Amino acid sequence: MNPEKRLSIVAIACLTTCTIPFVSSLRAAPVAPGQNKSAKEKSNDSRPIVNNSSKYEAVVRIENSSLNPDYRTPWNSGRDSGGNGTGWLVAPNRFLTNAHVVSNSRIVYIKKVGDAKPYRAKILHIAHDCDLAMLELEDPVAFEGVKPFEIGELPQLDTKVKVIGYPIGGERISITSGVVSRIDFLSYSHSAVDLHLTVQIDAAINPGNSGGPVLQDGRVVGVAFQGYSGNVAQNTGYMIPPPVIRRFLKDIEDGEYNHYVDLTMSEFTLLNPAQRAALGLPNDGLGIMVAHAEADGSAGGILKTGDVLMAIDGLPVKSNGLINYEGEDVNMNEIVERKFAGDVINLKIWRERKPMVAKVTLKRFLPYLISAKKYDQKPRYVMFAGLVFQPLDRNLMTAHGIKDLQVRYHYDSYVSDSIYKERPEIIVLTSILPDSINSYFSSYSQSIVDMVNGVKIKTLKDIHTALQKNNGDFVTVRLLGNGRPIVIERSRVTAAQKRIQEKYNVLRDHYLEEPAKAVD
């Protein structure tokens, strides 16, 4: 993943309300009975399947009731929501769909083609980094004898495909046909930070198609998952291709999903002839320059700034960062995409006008996740005397609309400036619940916590521990970039805490579930 290549993303709610077009995932809320269809929906070239054809009985409608966390009031349970998507039988009692179809789930139901009865399902595995999820039915009897779809190969450009699904909240499956128009390495909007192999098609893909199979010659060659909102690109959709699907299925074979690994390097193209000559390279269109290799990442201590990466696992790297893999020019990271934690890749490098070889053992790099959308987890926080402290991440930035320059710098430069080494978590005073004990402190909100009573704050647990210590008459909270600290009288805290919790309905004054380690 290269953070410089991330795309701006919006939620599916913006498909009809936002004026600026963005790539969006495609889960849809059910359409209310009698609701008028838009002109775009009316013109969609879809053909509903009326009968229970065995040809498509492996396709299912998925209905999800979800509870979305509220990062502004993290002690509350959240907001009820829901929607529907599509899935398909990939193995006996194993249904594949998109992660965004079943994220933040409370209850999931599966409906069979031609059968109005909902069947209760549960999530076995969910992979937010590649937007895939595996479900199973509590009682699979309704699908006995149904033949799972087989997974095919990566479709070729200019070949026809069919998208099967339940778009716009429909109760019957529909089919749209199109052509494969591009194979690229693009952002997956569900997490907003992960980039994977993606296939662009010109079949009509609408909200509700998410998770549905894309078929070619009767085999699944993709999973429909995102498209463009607005008027920037009509009839342009994207599907998750077989290599990503197969990697997910391989990963969960041991009963656990272990996520993607990363080379953790950024690069510059090497297209300028003079620049190549200065490095002692021929003008043959091969090699890409290493801009930075994160010290704690897979390539840390192996690749250096200024190195020229010439080949990965024997495949030449072109000067624009592409490799020819399985007959297609794809991003060089596609080699790493197929690997798992502990796998080794072989590199050919040009350093100081000399060739050399190196081996890199791949691992996951978690600091990137500060910029990822989070799902299926409760917001973590500490509330003390009305001061609300939370760890910084994308969800927090969005919920609070944080504009403070100090906070934005730490968020944007968390990886590039290795801030994560000093502060594994950046703790922000996000809001203040007004009370006499914290009067005149409102200007301190949305600031980063540096120390509490002289203790350096590196994690949310640090601040909770420091605030609970009875080591003086006052609690002193120092914030980055602010010379004047917050000072609270300790003798007043117990009464104030009870008063504030009752007034603002704060059932618990903290939630500290430990996050994953910064580097795994």
Side-chain angles (χ1 to χ4, degrees):
M1 175 184 63
N2 185 344
E4 295 177 0
K5 296 181 182 177
R6 297 171 188 159
L7 300 179
S8 298
I9 307 297
V10 291
I12 187 61
C14 293
L15 278 172
T16 56
T17 59
C18 289
T19 57
I20 302 175
F22 292 88
V23 175
S24 302
S25 50
L26 296 169
R27 181 178 65 179
V31 177
Q35 181 176 335
N36 291 332
K37 301 287 186 180
S38 68
K40 182 177 178 181
E41 292 173 26
K42 291 177 181 177
S43 65
N44 182 18
D45 182 20
S46 300
R47 294 176 286 129
I49 303 301
V50 177
N51 63 336
N52 185 11
S53 170
S54 60
K55 186 176 181 180
Y56 299 111
E57 63 180 347
V59 181
V60 297
R61 174 186 165 103
I62 297 174
E63 298 177 353
N64 180 43
S65 174
S66 59
L67 189 65
N68 299 323
D70 184 352
Y71 279 75
R72 290 188 66 85
T73 55
W75 46 85
N76 289 333
S77 59
R79 295 169 286 104
D80 289 325
S81 183
N84 75 275
T86 307
W88 49 282
L89 192 67
V90 66
N93 199 21
R94 294 293 184 270
F95 298 86
L96 197 66
T97 187
N98 286 139
H100 73 258
V101 170
V102 293
S103 295
N104 299 321
S105 178
R106 294 193 303 173
I107 302 173
V108 181
Y109 289 101
I110 283 177
K111 286 186 176 180
K112 188 179 180 182
V113 173
D115 186 351
K117 180 181 178 180
Y119 296 92
R120 183 75 176 266
K122 65 178 181 180
I123 301 169
L124 291 179
H125 305 283
I126 190 162
H128 297 294
D129 53 4
C130 64
D131 201 1
L132 290 172
M134 182 70 74
L135 312 182
E136 76 169 1
L137 289 172
E138 293 181 352
D139 182 3
V141 65
F143 285 83
E144 288 181 358
V146 176
K147 185 179 179 181
F149 280 129
E150 294 182 7
I151 301 173
E153 300 303 318
L154 183 69
Q156 299 298 304
L157 289 172
D158 199 25
T159 58
K160 290 185 178 181
V161 295
K162 293 180 180 180
V163 181
I164 319 295
Y166 290 87
I168 321 297
E171 291 289 339
R172 297 176 178 178
I173 65 173
S174 70
I175 302 173
T176 55
S177 298
V179 172
V180 175
S181 52
R182 182 188 298 174
I183 300 173
D184 210 343
F185 199 73
L186 298 175
S187 173
Y188 278 34
S189 66
H190 181 59
S191 71
V193 298
D194 293 286
L195 294 93
H196 305 294
L197 193 67
T198 308
V199 175
Q200 177 182 309
I201 55 180
D202 67 359
I205 296 180
N206 293 299
N209 273 121
S210 277
V214 181
L215 303 180
Q216 188 176 81
D217 299 326
R219 304 175 77 189
V220 175
V221 294
V223 175
F225 79 120
Q226 64 188 34
Y228 279 100
S229 63
N231 297 317
V232 67
Q234 298 298 317
N235 288 346
T236 298
Y238 295 90
M239 67 182 192
I240 300 172
V244 179
I245 299 171
R246 286 197 172 94
R247 189 199 181 283
F248 171 71
L249 296 177
K250 179 69 175 177
D251 196 317
I252 63 176
E253 283 182 355
D254 62 357
E256 182 180 0
Y257 182 66
N258 296 304
H259 306 277
Y260 275 75
V261 292
D262 205 297
L263 194 56
T264 58
M265 61 160 279
S266 56
E267 70 279 345
F268 291 124
T269 58
L270 270 180
L271 302 173
N272 184 280
Q275 187 180 32
R276 298 182 63 86
L279 293 168
L281 290 169
N283 193 22
D284 58 2
L286 297 178
I288 192 163
M289 180 177 285
V290 176
H292 178 71
E294 185 55 49
D296 292 321
S298 301
I302 299 172
L303 292 178
K304 298 180 180 180
T305 299
D307 284 350
V308 179
L309 184 57
M310 305 299 296
I312 303 177
D313 276 355
L315 295 176
V317 178
K318 298 181 181 181
S319 299
N320 58 1
L322 301 182
I323 58 171
N324 190 276
Y325 192 69
E326 297 181 349
E328 295 285 348
D329 276 359
V330 296
N331 188 287
M332 66 180 186
N333 286 295
E334 183 59 23
I335 295 290
V336 179
E337 289 279 296
R338 311 286 179 103
K339 306 292 186 178
F340 297 88
D343 286 350
V344 176
I345 58 172
N346 298 295
L347 305 180
K348 182 179 178 182
I349 304 166
W350 182 261
R351 178 182 294 169
E352 297 176 354
R353 294 176 171 264
K354 295 179 182 179
M356 61 176 294
V357 295
K359 293 181 181 293
V360 172
T361 301
L362 297 169
K363 61 181 179 180
R364 196 178 177 206
F365 186 70
L366 293 178
Y368 278 141
L369 296 183
I370 192 172
S371 298
K373 297 177 183 177
K374 305 292 195 308
Y375 305 92
D376 301 316
Q377 55 186 263
K378 294 173 60 177
R380 300 166 55 240
Y381 69 96
V382 169
M383 193 281 289
F384 179 85
L387 310 179
V388 182
F389 303 98
Q390 296 174 265
L392 183 64
D393 61 16
R394 187 190 190 98
N395 293 39
L396 194 74
M397 290 286 288
T398 301
H400 288 274
I402 296 177
K403 295 181 173 59
D404 181 85
L405 294 180
Q406 184 84 259
V407 177
R408 295 200 68 88
Y409 161 71
H410 280 74
Y411 176 77
D412 293 335
S413 304
Y414 186 67
V415 173
S416 61
D417 287 355
S418 300
I419 294 173
Y420 67 89
K421 293 181 180 180
E422 180 185 359
R423 300 179 189 275
E425 290 187 289
I426 299 166
I427 307 304
V428 180
L429 172 59
T430 53
S431 60
I432 299 175
L433 305 179
D435 184 80
S436 59
I437 196 172
N438 58 45
S439 57
Y440 303 105
F441 289 156
S442 60
S443 63
Y444 290 92
S445 63
Q446 298 195 356
S447 298
I448 295 173
V449 180
D450 187 28
M451 291 191 294
V452 173
N453 286 349
V455 176
K456 194 77 170 177
I457 302 302
K458 298 182 178 182
T459 65
L460 188 65
K461 186 176 180 180
D462 288 346
I463 197 168
H464 181 256
T465 301
L467 291 170
Q468 298 305 311
K469 284 185 178 179
N470 190 2
N471 56 353
D473 295 334
F474 299 96
V475 177
T476 303
V477 180
R478 293 194 175 275
L479 306 168
L480 281 181
N482 200 319
R484 290 192 308 135
I486 292 175
V487 180
I488 301 287
E489 294 181 62
R490 188 174 293 279
S491 62
R492 299 177 57 195
V493 169
T494 301
Q497 196 80 347
K498 181 179 179 181
R499 182 171 63 245
I500 292 168
Q501 287 190 233
E502 290 177 353
K503 181 178 180 180
Y504 296 98
N505 196 29
V506 181
L507 299 180
R508 292 183 58 183
D509 63 9
H510 68 277
Y511 178 69
L512 296 177
E513 183 181 6
E514 288 295 301
K517 295 179 181 178
V519 180
D520 190 6

